[in-house]
Amino acid sequence: MATGVTFYFVRHGETFLNLMERVQGWANAPLTERGEKDVHRSGKGLADVEFDAVYSSDLMRTIDTAEIILSENNFAENLTIVPMKAFREVHFGYYEGLPAKVLWDQVDEFVTKQHDLPAGDRKTVQFFMNTVKEIDPYNNAENYMDFWMRVETGLIELLERHADTNKNILVVSHGMTIRNLLEGLVADFDEIEPLKNASVSIVKYLNGQFELLAYNQVDHFAEIADEASVDHSEK
């Protein structure tokens, strides 16, 4: 019987930069209270999944997310989180921490001037990332090839360690990173919905092929008792 490996890709919980709608790639911000709560809910929903290994981006918001998920897991006693730079979010260079609207507006302006395209027509994710690289005055942003070579290196490392083990591997990463990774690996990938914070996307690797089992899943979130919602009418 053929064996493969199943990857559980989890996006980090909401951060303060997410909340304020600011660009967040390599820049980091702590999880909000809501972000922590949603990660606990996601972790409780995955509590009975037995993971063989746990990886995360080396940015604190993903490490914190991974720690919360493991705190809710029933089989995490001997697991250690392995941080990997390969699974960081896209690097937005000069635009890190700025309002997201500033970045989108400048991309639109550049595209219109340089390529005679209507504002808002960003074509593809690859085109967007390449444009950000071009307009970054310090040239620090990643273009699509920079990004893909970094992430692919990390994925190959995980496959070398875990392919054909029939195990479950947890990878805590970022919205664009996970989505672009899935788009590059899964045949006929046609999902367009942005990944929600603390969501789970599941991919099975078997016989050299990647099969998408779940995308942007949040229906596994478990309810958590919230003191603020407890009825104190009898007290």
PDB file of all heavy atoms in Angstrom, residues 141-165:
ATOM      1  N   ALA A 141      12.199  44.468  -1.511  1.00  0.00           N
ATOM      2  CA  ALA A 141      11.038  43.575  -1.643  1.00  0.00           C
ATOM      3  C   ALA A 141      11.393  42.350  -2.479  1.00  0.00           C
ATOM      4  O   ALA A 141      12.295  42.397  -3.317  1.00  0.00           O
ATOM      5  CB  ALA A 141       9.872  44.334  -2.278  1.00  0.00           C
ATOM      6  N   GLU A 142      10.675  41.261  -2.239  1.00  0.00           N
ATOM      7  CA  GLU A 142      10.873  40.042  -3.015  1.00  0.00           C
ATOM      8  C   GLU A 142      10.014  40.070  -4.268  1.00  0.00           C
ATOM      9  O   GLU A 142       8.831  40.423  -4.205  1.00  0.00           O
ATOM     10  CB  GLU A 142      10.490  38.809  -2.199  1.00  0.00           C
ATOM     11  CG  GLU A 142      11.432  38.469  -1.071  1.00  0.00           C
ATOM     12  CD  GLU A 142      10.993  37.205  -0.340  1.00  0.00           C
ATOM     13  OE1 GLU A 142       9.808  37.143   0.080  1.00  0.00           O
ATOM     14  OE2 GLU A 142      11.810  36.305  -0.185  1.00  0.00           O
ATOM     15  N   ASN A 143      10.576  39.691  -5.399  1.00  0.00           N
ATOM     16  CA  ASN A 143       9.724  39.408  -6.548  1.00  0.00           C
ATOM     17  C   ASN A 143       9.273  37.951  -6.449  1.00  0.00           C
ATOM     18  O   ASN A 143       9.633  37.239  -5.508  1.00  0.00           O
ATOM     19  CB  ASN A 143      10.428  39.704  -7.876  1.00  0.00           C
ATOM     20  CG  ASN A 143      11.687  38.875  -8.083  1.00  0.00           C
ATOM     21  OD1 ASN A 143      11.824  37.773  -7.542  1.00  0.00           O
ATOM     22  ND2 ASN A 143      12.609  39.391  -8.873  1.00  0.00           N
ATOM     23  N   TYR A 144       8.488  37.499  -7.419  1.00  0.00           N
ATOM     24  CA  TYR A 144       7.916  36.163  -7.301  1.00  0.00           C
ATOM     25  C   TYR A 144       8.995  35.081  -7.298  1.00  0.00           C
ATOM     26  O   TYR A 144       8.911  34.125  -6.533  1.00  0.00           O
ATOM     27  CB  TYR A 144       6.913  35.891  -8.427  1.00  0.00           C
ATOM     28  CG  TYR A 144       6.241  34.550  -8.267  1.00  0.00           C
ATOM     29  CD1 TYR A 144       5.216  34.379  -7.341  1.00  0.00           C
ATOM     30  CD2 TYR A 144       6.654  33.446  -9.007  1.00  0.00           C
ATOM     31  CE1 TYR A 144       4.612  33.150  -7.156  1.00  0.00           C
ATOM     32  CE2 TYR A 144       6.049  32.210  -8.834  1.00  0.00           C
ATOM     33  CZ  TYR A 144       5.030  32.067  -7.911  1.00  0.00           C
ATOM     34  OH  TYR A 144       4.440  30.840  -7.721  1.00  0.00           O
ATOM     35  N   MET A 145      10.020  35.243  -8.124  1.00  0.00           N
ATOM     36  CA  MET A 145      11.065  34.222  -8.178  1.00  0.00           C
ATOM     37  C   MET A 145      11.851  34.164  -6.879  1.00  0.00           C
ATOM     38  O   MET A 145      12.187  33.071  -6.393  1.00  0.00           O
ATOM     39  CB  MET A 145      12.001  34.487  -9.353  1.00  0.00           C
ATOM     40  CG  MET A 145      13.021  33.375  -9.590  1.00  0.00           C
ATOM     41  SD  MET A 145      12.243  31.736  -9.844  1.00  0.00           S
ATOM     42  CE  MET A 145      11.390  32.027 -11.396  1.00  0.00           C
ATOM     43  N   ASP A 146      12.164  35.335  -6.284  1.00  0.00           N
ATOM     44  CA  ASP A 146      12.840  35.364  -4.979  1.00  0.00           C
ATOM     45  C   ASP A 146      12.027  34.570  -3.965  1.00  0.00           C
ATOM     46  O   ASP A 146      12.555  33.724  -3.223  1.00  0.00           O
ATOM     47  CB  ASP A 146      12.971  36.802  -4.463  1.00  0.00           C
ATOM     48  CG  ASP A 146      13.880  37.667  -5.315  1.00  0.00           C
ATOM     49  OD1 ASP A 146      14.786  37.119  -5.967  1.00  0.00           O
ATOM     50  OD2 ASP A 146      13.685  38.901  -5.314  1.00  0.00           O
ATOM     51  N   PHE A 147      10.736  34.874  -3.938  1.00  0.00           N
ATOM     52  CA  PHE A 147       9.838  34.231  -2.978  1.00  0.00           C
ATOM     53  C   PHE A 147       9.764  32.726  -3.213  1.00  0.00           C
ATOM     54  O   PHE A 147       9.914  31.924  -2.290  1.00  0.00           O
ATOM     55  CB  PHE A 147       8.446  34.860  -3.087  1.00  0.00           C
ATOM     56  CG  PHE A 147       7.357  34.045  -2.457  1.00  0.00           C
ATOM     57  CD1 PHE A 147       7.136  34.104  -1.095  1.00  0.00           C
ATOM     58  CD2 PHE A 147       6.545  33.215  -3.228  1.00  0.00           C
ATOM     59  CE1 PHE A 147       6.132  33.343  -0.506  1.00  0.00           C
ATOM     60  CE2 PHE A 147       5.546  32.461  -2.652  1.00  0.00           C
ATOM     61  CZ  PHE A 147       5.339  32.522  -1.288  1.00  0.00           C
ATOM     62  N   TRP A 148       9.516  32.329  -4.461  1.00  0.00           N
ATOM     63  CA  TRP A 148       9.281  30.919  -4.739  1.00  0.00           C
ATOM     64  C   TRP A 148      10.522  30.068  -4.467  1.00  0.00           C
ATOM     65  O   TRP A 148      10.409  28.971  -3.907  1.00  0.00           O
ATOM     66  CB  TRP A 148       8.818  30.711  -6.184  1.00  0.00           C
ATOM     67  CG  TRP A 148       8.529  29.262  -6.435  1.00  0.00           C
ATOM     68  CD1 TRP A 148       9.281  28.379  -7.141  1.00  0.00           C
ATOM     69  CD2 TRP A 148       7.427  28.508  -5.914  1.00  0.00           C
ATOM     70  NE1 TRP A 148       8.718  27.128  -7.111  1.00  0.00           N
ATOM     71  CE2 TRP A 148       7.576  27.175  -6.362  1.00  0.00           C
ATOM     72  CE3 TRP A 148       6.333  28.836  -5.124  1.00  0.00           C
ATOM     73  CZ2 TRP A 148       6.666  26.175  -6.031  1.00  0.00           C
ATOM     74  CZ3 TRP A 148       5.426  27.830  -4.796  1.00  0.00           C
ATOM     75  CH2 TRP A 148       5.599  26.526  -5.254  1.00  0.00           C
ATOM     76  N   MET A 149      11.685  30.569  -4.799  1.00  0.00           N
ATOM     77  CA  MET A 149      12.912  29.801  -4.548  1.00  0.00           C
ATOM     78  C   MET A 149      13.115  29.591  -3.055  1.00  0.00           C
ATOM     79  O   MET A 149      13.551  28.519  -2.626  1.00  0.00           O
ATOM     80  CB  MET A 149      14.110  30.513  -5.174  1.00  0.00           C
ATOM     81  CG  MET A 149      14.128  30.478  -6.686  1.00  0.00           C
ATOM     82  SD  MET A 149      15.564  31.317  -7.405  1.00  0.00           S
ATOM     83  CE  MET A 149      16.889  30.238  -6.828  1.00  0.00           C
ATOM     84  N   ARG A 150      12.783  30.587  -2.251  1.00  0.00           N
ATOM     85  CA  ARG A 150      12.916  30.464  -0.791  1.00  0.00           C
ATOM     86  C   ARG A 150      11.940  29.426  -0.246  1.00  0.00           C
ATOM     87  O   ARG A 150      12.329  28.524   0.506  1.00  0.00           O
ATOM     88  CB  ARG A 150      12.664  31.834  -0.148  1.00  0.00           C
ATOM     89  CG  ARG A 150      12.527  31.796   1.356  1.00  0.00           C
ATOM     90  CD  ARG A 150      12.519  33.182   1.963  1.00  0.00           C
ATOM     91  NE  ARG A 150      11.412  34.018   1.523  1.00  0.00           N
ATOM     92  CZ  ARG A 150      10.178  33.993   2.035  1.00  0.00           C
ATOM     93  NH1 ARG A 150       9.872  33.105   2.980  1.00  0.00           N
ATOM     94  NH2 ARG A 150       9.241  34.820   1.606  1.00  0.00           N
ATOM     95  N   VAL A 151      10.675  29.541  -0.628  1.00  0.00           N
ATOM     96  CA  VAL A 151       9.658  28.636  -0.098  1.00  0.00           C
ATOM     97  C   VAL A 151       9.855  27.212  -0.620  1.00  0.00           C
ATOM     98  O   VAL A 151       9.694  26.235   0.124  1.00  0.00           O
ATOM     99  CB  VAL A 151       8.254  29.155  -0.449  1.00  0.00           C
ATOM    100  CG1 VAL A 151       7.187  28.171   0.009  1.00  0.00           C
ATOM    101  CG2 VAL A 151       8.014  30.518   0.179  1.00  0.00           C
ATOM    102  N   GLU A 152      10.215  27.082  -1.892  1.00  0.00           N
ATOM    103  CA  GLU A 152      10.418  25.754  -2.463  1.00  0.00           C
ATOM    104  C   GLU A 152      11.545  25.008  -1.750  1.00  0.00           C
ATOM    105  O   GLU A 152      11.465  23.793  -1.523  1.00  0.00           O
ATOM    106  CB  GLU A 152      10.731  25.873  -3.951  1.00  0.00           C
ATOM    107  CG  GLU A 152      10.846  24.523  -4.653  1.00  0.00           C
ATOM    108  CD  GLU A 152      11.177  24.678  -6.119  1.00  0.00           C
ATOM    109  OE1 GLU A 152      12.045  25.517  -6.456  1.00  0.00           O
ATOM    110  OE2 GLU A 152      10.590  23.958  -6.942  1.00  0.00           O
ATOM    111  N   THR A 153      12.594  25.735  -1.364  1.00  0.00           N
ATOM    112  CA  THR A 153      13.698  25.114  -0.630  1.00  0.00           C
ATOM    113  C   THR A 153      13.196  24.501   0.674  1.00  0.00           C
ATOM    114  O   THR A 153      13.580  23.382   1.049  1.00  0.00           O
ATOM    115  CB  THR A 153      14.791  26.155  -0.333  1.00  0.00           C
ATOM    116  OG1 THR A 153      15.325  26.650  -1.564  1.00  0.00           O
ATOM    117  CG2 THR A 153      15.923  25.538   0.488  1.00  0.00           C
ATOM    118  N   GLY A 154      12.325  25.222   1.380  1.00  0.00           N
ATOM    119  CA  GLY A 154      11.768  24.697   2.624  1.00  0.00           C
ATOM    120  C   GLY A 154      10.885  23.497   2.387  1.00  0.00           C
ATOM    121  O   GLY A 154      10.934  22.513   3.142  1.00  0.00           O
ATOM    122  N   LEU A 155      10.065  23.541   1.350  1.00  0.00           N
ATOM    123  CA  LEU A 155       9.178  22.420   1.052  1.00  0.00           C
ATOM    124  C   LEU A 155       9.975  21.172   0.701  1.00  0.00           C
ATOM    125  O   LEU A 155       9.656  20.062   1.173  1.00  0.00           O
ATOM    126  CB  LEU A 155       8.247  22.777  -0.100  1.00  0.00           C
ATOM    127  CG  LEU A 155       7.275  21.671  -0.500  1.00  0.00           C
ATOM    128  CD1 LEU A 155       6.254  21.428   0.595  1.00  0.00           C
ATOM    129  CD2 LEU A 155       6.589  22.002  -1.811  1.00  0.00           C
ATOM    130  N   ILE A 156      11.010  21.314  -0.115  1.00  0.00           N
ATOM    131  CA  ILE A 156      11.845  20.170  -0.479  1.00  0.00           C
ATOM    132  C   ILE A 156      12.470  19.550   0.767  1.00  0.00           C
ATOM    133  O   ILE A 156      12.531  18.313   0.908  1.00  0.00           O
ATOM    134  CB  ILE A 156      12.927  20.602  -1.488  1.00  0.00           C
ATOM    135  CG1 ILE A 156      12.288  20.934  -2.836  1.00  0.00           C
ATOM    136  CG2 ILE A 156      13.983  19.504  -1.651  1.00  0.00           C
ATOM    137  CD1 ILE A 156      13.248  21.542  -3.837  1.00  0.00           C
ATOM    138  N   GLU A 157      12.902  20.401   1.691  1.00  0.00           N
ATOM    139  CA  GLU A 157      13.486  19.894   2.939  1.00  0.00           C
ATOM    140  C   GLU A 157      12.469  19.069   3.717  1.00  0.00           C
ATOM    141  O   GLU A 157      12.787  17.985   4.238  1.00  0.00           O
ATOM    142  CB  GLU A 157      13.970  21.074   3.788  1.00  0.00           C
ATOM    143  CG  GLU A 157      14.697  20.661   5.058  1.00  0.00           C
ATOM    144  CD  GLU A 157      15.291  21.842   5.809  1.00  0.00           C
ATOM    145  OE1 GLU A 157      15.491  22.905   5.188  1.00  0.00           O
ATOM    146  OE2 GLU A 157      15.540  21.690   7.023  1.00  0.00           O
ATOM    147  N   LEU A 158      11.220  19.536   3.770  1.00  0.00           N
ATOM    148  CA  LEU A 158      10.184  18.784   4.483  1.00  0.00           C
ATOM    149  C   LEU A 158       9.855  17.473   3.777  1.00  0.00           C
ATOM    150  O   LEU A 158       9.654  16.435   4.431  1.00  0.00           O
ATOM    151  CB  LEU A 158       8.923  19.632   4.614  1.00  0.00           C
ATOM    152  CG  LEU A 158       8.764  20.398   5.929  1.00  0.00           C
ATOM    153  CD1 LEU A 158       9.966  21.291   6.207  1.00  0.00           C
ATOM    154  CD2 LEU A 158       7.490  21.243   5.899  1.00  0.00           C
ATOM    155  N   LEU A 159       9.824  17.486   2.459  1.00  0.00           N
ATOM    156  CA  LEU A 159       9.537  16.255   1.726  1.00  0.00           C
ATOM    157  C   LEU A 159      10.661  15.238   1.918  1.00  0.00           C
ATOM    158  O   LEU A 159      10.407  14.037   2.046  1.00  0.00           O
ATOM    159  CB  LEU A 159       9.350  16.559   0.242  1.00  0.00           C
ATOM    160  CG  LEU A 159       8.043  17.267  -0.136  1.00  0.00           C
ATOM    161  CD1 LEU A 159       8.047  17.636  -1.607  1.00  0.00           C
ATOM    162  CD2 LEU A 159       6.832  16.397   0.198  1.00  0.00           C
ATOM    163  N   GLU A 160      11.904  15.699   1.936  1.00  0.00           N
ATOM    164  CA  GLU A 160      13.028  14.783   2.152  1.00  0.00           C
ATOM    165  C   GLU A 160      12.940  14.118   3.519  1.00  0.00           C
ATOM    166  O   GLU A 160      13.341  12.970   3.695  1.00  0.00           O
ATOM    167  CB  GLU A 160      14.350  15.540   2.002  1.00  0.00           C
ATOM    168  CG  GLU A 160      14.670  15.936   0.569  1.00  0.00           C
ATOM    169  CD  GLU A 160      15.934  16.763   0.455  1.00  0.00           C
ATOM    170  OE1 GLU A 160      16.408  17.279   1.507  1.00  0.00           O
ATOM    171  OE2 GLU A 160      16.452  16.919  -0.666  1.00  0.00           O
ATOM    172  N   ARG A 161      12.407  14.841   4.502  1.00  0.00           N
ATOM    173  CA  ARG A 161      12.302  14.292   5.858  1.00  0.00           C
ATOM    174  C   ARG A 161      11.071  13.397   6.044  1.00  0.00           C
ATOM    175  O   ARG A 161      11.116  12.421   6.796  1.00  0.00           O
ATOM    176  CB  ARG A 161      12.228  15.434   6.883  1.00  0.00           C
ATOM    177  CG  ARG A 161      13.463  16.283   7.003  1.00  0.00           C
ATOM    178  CD  ARG A 161      13.249  17.384   8.043  1.00  0.00           C
ATOM    179  NE  ARG A 161      14.376  18.316   8.091  1.00  0.00           N
ATOM    180  CZ  ARG A 161      14.419  19.401   8.861  1.00  0.00           C
ATOM    181  NH1 ARG A 161      13.395  19.678   9.648  1.00  0.00           N
ATOM    182  NH2 ARG A 161      15.461  20.203   8.833  1.00  0.00           N
ATOM    183  N   HIS A 162       9.972  13.727   5.372  1.00  0.00           N
ATOM    184  CA  HIS A 162       8.706  13.123   5.757  1.00  0.00           C
ATOM    185  C   HIS A 162       7.936  12.404   4.657  1.00  0.00           C
ATOM    186  O   HIS A 162       6.919  11.769   4.955  1.00  0.00           O
ATOM    187  CB  HIS A 162       7.800  14.210   6.354  1.00  0.00           C
ATOM    188  CG  HIS A 162       8.388  14.919   7.530  1.00  0.00           C
ATOM    189  ND1 HIS A 162       8.601  14.305   8.743  1.00  0.00           N
ATOM    190  CD2 HIS A 162       8.839  16.200   7.664  1.00  0.00           C
ATOM    191  CE1 HIS A 162       9.140  15.172   9.598  1.00  0.00           C
ATOM    192  NE2 HIS A 162       9.290  16.327   8.965  1.00  0.00           N
ATOM    193  N   ALA A 163       8.369  12.500   3.403  1.00  0.00           N
ATOM    194  CA  ALA A 163       7.643  11.814   2.330  1.00  0.00           C
ATOM    195  C   ALA A 163       7.583  10.316   2.615  1.00  0.00           C
ATOM    196  O   ALA A 163       8.544   9.725   3.126  1.00  0.00           O
ATOM    197  CB  ALA A 163       8.307  12.076   0.984  1.00  0.00           C
ATOM    198  N   ASP A 164       6.447   9.697   2.327  1.00  0.00           N
ATOM    199  CA  ASP A 164       6.247   8.252   2.494  1.00  0.00           C
ATOM    200  C   ASP A 164       6.292   7.796   3.943  1.00  0.00           C
ATOM    201  O   ASP A 164       6.581   6.632   4.232  1.00  0.00           O
ATOM    202  CB  ASP A 164       7.270   7.462   1.671  1.00  0.00           C
ATOM    203  CG  ASP A 164       7.165   7.762   0.187  1.00  0.00           C
ATOM    204  OD1 ASP A 164       6.030   7.936  -0.301  1.00  0.00           O
ATOM    205  OD2 ASP A 164       8.211   7.838  -0.477  1.00  0.00           O
ATOM    206  N   THR A 165       6.015   8.706   4.875  1.00  0.00           N
ATOM    207  CA  THR A 165       5.955   8.321   6.295  1.00  0.00           C
ATOM    208  C   THR A 165       4.525   8.075   6.759  1.00  0.00           C
ATOM    209  O   THR A 165       4.311   7.542   7.847  1.00  0.00           O
ATOM    210  CB  THR A 165       6.568   9.416   7.186  1.00  0.00           C
ATOM    211  OG1 THR A 165       5.791  10.622   7.046  1.00  0.00           O
ATOM    212  CG2 THR A 165       8.016   9.683   6.809  1.00  0.00           C
TER     213      THR A 165
END
